[in-house]
Amino acid sequence: MSTIKFIKEEKEVVTASGANLREKALQNDVDIYRLRGKLTNCGGYGQCGTCIVEIEEGAENLSPKTPFELRKLKKKPDSYRLACQALVNGPVSVITKPK
C-alpha cells in the first residue's frame, strides 16, 4: 500500500502500489489541470503535458521518468512530473498546479 498526500487540497489517498498518480487524483476529486489542460488534455496518454505536478516528498517512490517526460520537462525543476506518467510505489507528497 502507498499513500499520496495532495498538499494544497489537504487530502491523503491510500492506494495500491503501482497506481497511476493522475488516475488516483481524478478518482479522489483532486483537480490537477489548469484551464488550458481542462480543455486540451489527452486523457492520460502522455501526449499533451498538461498534468504537471510537483513532488514535494517521495520522488524516489515514483516510477522513473519516461522519455516523453524528459523531453517535456527539460526546462522545469527536477521535482516536476507528469501525473499521467508517474506510478506510485510508496508514500509521496504532491503539489498540484505548480507555478
Side-chain angles (χ1 to χ4, degrees):
M1 297 301 278
S2 302
T3 58
I4 306 167
K5 182 178 180 182
F6 295 100
I7 296 172
K8 288 181 182 177
E9 295 79 6
E10 297 180 355
K11 190 176 276 193
E12 193 163 314
V13 175
V14 177
T15 185
S17 291
N20 180 279
L21 182 56
R22 176 189 176 275
E23 289 177 17
K24 288 296 156 189
L26 295 178
Q27 287 171 1
N28 289 280
D29 298 320
V30 174
D31 186 13
I32 59 172
Y33 294 107
R34 297 183 183 280
L35 179 60
R36 183 177 144 269
K38 288 177 187 177
L39 300 173
T40 64
N41 78 77
C42 67
Y45 293 103
Q47 302 297 312
C48 66
T50 60
C51 61
I52 294 174
V53 295
E54 183 175 1
I55 306 304
E56 180 78 14
E57 292 178 10
E60 69 277 4
N61 295 325
L62 295 176
S63 57
K65 287 185 180 180
T66 64
F68 179 76
E69 279 184 286
L70 294 172
R71 283 192 311 275
K72 194 69 177 172
L73 301 174
K74 67 182 173 189
K75 295 181 181 179
K76 303 281 186 190
D78 286 341
S79 60
Y80 281 33
R81 293 292 306 264
L82 296 179
C84 71
Q85 300 295 294
L87 302 179
V88 180
N89 296 306
V92 293
S93 296
V94 178
I95 298 172
T96 55
K97 300 183 237 180
K99 296 187 182 204

